[in-house]
Amino acid sequence: MRSHLKLPAAAVSAVLALATLTACGGDSSSAGSGGKVKIMVGGLDKVIYLPAMLTQKLGYFTDEGLDIQLLTEPAGVQATTSLVSGDVQGVVGFYDHTLDLQVKGKQVESVVQFSHASGEVEVVSNKAAAEITSAKDFKGKKLGVTGLGSSTDFLTKYLAVKNGVKTDEFSTVAVGAGQTFISALQQNSIQGGMTTDPTVAQILDKKLGKVLIDMRTPEGSKAALGGPYPSSSLYMNTDWVNNSKETVQKLANAFVKTLKWMAAHSPEEIAAKMPTDYAQGGDGLYAKAIESTLPMFTTDGVMPAEGPETVERVLRAFNPNLKDAKVDLSKTFTTEFVDKAK
């Protein structure tokens, strides 16, 4: 029962060849059968997508008899491209892409909702802090996002429009996350931008900038966006979900188990389970980054009430594709599998 309430590219093949963060192998011809699934993550080392790697490290995929290959892309929009082109069966990325894709004729749905807040942070460089004191000051500025057409791009544009700044009055610059974002901020290629932990924690630790808008908690997201903002999720092509229900149920079981484990353990215990190279700023700083972001996560994988409506309202505020389009929110997510997992 349903709850009531992105084109092939040569770059994709290159990333698939280079990405080696896998649970187990599995060629594309057998992907999706016998429990073999490829999942593209919009940045495996981002804390907002932490459940993907953590589930692997906890052994929950294996417990469910799944053969999972985790791949990584620097931005959610690129991860979505991999799904649409058929290179992967699932994406761990932002739920808002399901709405954007629906109006483009692609039926994609969230099957496990990891979060009820965006987890994003708008930061400004120390050099620009005096002139950017709110989103009203975005006019004429260059602001970093992970990728053009990404959820950070979506949210930056919404915050601008909400505060009286038109989308053509400032520039969004694709700078990725981590060191590329930090370098752009240091070199003044951007005056601010939207990013997540652990990048935020590193910027603050290095004293390179300050937090302007914090959406890592439900309260912060509501203040900035007007309601709960479901973001990180596992989303898949609806046809694939309908034809692979047993596998999707196993995925839901594994991820919900991880969300419950996260709720019962400390940031330090969570950090200890993750790959050591994720803690680029040191173990202590990484644990602090996890602690700052933990409030965004659900404990049961269920879509938060009124969350889809908030996302639709945010996207309609600036996205011409959605402005006058009809969106069937009931087709953008399902609670069928997480309900059974509980």
Side-chain angles (χ1 to χ4, degrees), residues 3-5 113 115-117 222 226-230 298 300-311 329 333 335:
S3 175
H4 74 280
L5 249 146
Q113 194 59 49
S115 64
H116 49 180
K222 185 175 182 179
Y229 199 90
T298 68
D300 54 12
V302 175
M303 176 66 71
E306 301 180 8
E309 290 84 356
T310 302
V311 173
L329 292 176
F333 71 99
T335 62

Side-chain angles (χ1 to χ4, degrees), residues 46-48 74 94 118-124 143-146 150-153 155-156 159 175-182 185 190 192-204 210-211 213-216 293 296:
K46 295 177 183 177
V47 179
I48 58 171
F94 267 41
S118 81
E120 299 285 349
V121 178
E122 184 72 24
V123 299
V124 294
L143 303 173
V145 297
T146 53
S150 67
S151 297
T152 51
D153 191 23
L155 289 174
T156 300
L159 291 174
V175 293
Q179 192 52 51
T180 54
F181 186 101
I182 293 171
L185 202 66
I190 56 173
M194 192 168 291
T195 191
T196 60
D197 278 311
T199 308
V200 176
Q202 292 173 36
I203 289 171
L204 298 179
K210 59 181 288 186
V211 171
I213 302 168
D214 194 338
M215 297 178 285
R216 289 174 291 189
T293 304
M296 74 174 281

Side-chain angles (χ1 to χ4, degrees), residues 47 50 54 57 261-262 265-279 282-291 294:
V47 179
L50 181 148
L54 182 58
K57 291 296 185 179
W261 188 93
M262 288 168 60
H265 291 78
S266 70
E268 290 77 14
E269 290 172 317
I270 296 171
K273 293 289 184 180
M274 301 298 286
T276 55
D277 61 341
Y278 285 16
D283 293 344
L285 189 63
Y286 185 52
K288 185 176 180 181
I290 292 174
E291 181 178 17
L294 272 179

Side-chain angles (χ1 to χ4, degrees), residues 186-251:
Q186 287 177 301
Q187 296 165 12
N188 201 37
S189 299
I190 56 173
Q191 287 75 59
M194 192 168 291
T195 191
T196 60
D197 278 311
T199 308
V200 176
Q202 292 173 36
I203 289 171
L204 298 179
D205 184 62
K206 297 174 186 288
K207 295 180 171 53
L208 299 175
K210 59 181 288 186
V211 171
L212 183 69
I213 302 168
D214 194 338
M215 297 178 285
R216 289 174 291 189
T217 67
E219 296 79 13
S221 265
K222 185 175 182 179
L225 306 173
Y229 199 90
S231 56
S232 305
S233 66
L234 170 67
Y235 61 83
M236 314 178 94
N237 285 311
T238 300
D239 284 345
W240 197 89
V241 172
N242 291 336
N243 292 321
S244 313
K245 289 199 172 189
E246 184 178 348
T247 299
V248 178
Q249 186 62 62
K250 291 178 179 180
L251 282 164

Side-chain angles (χ1 to χ4, degrees), residues 103-126:
V103 300
K104 294 174 181 176
K106 306 292 182 181
Q107 212 56 64
V108 174
E109 62 186 3
S110 165
V111 296
V112 183
Q113 194 59 49
F114 298 156
S115 64
H116 49 180
S118 81
E120 299 285 349
V121 178
E122 184 72 24
V123 299
V124 294
S125 67
N126 288 334

Side-chain angles (χ1 to χ4, degrees), residues 89-105:
Q89 287 73 55
V91 168
V92 169
F94 267 41
Y95 161 73
D96 54 20
H97 290 292
T98 68
L99 281 73
D100 188 54
L101 285 170
Q102 187 182 111
V103 300
K104 294 174 181 176

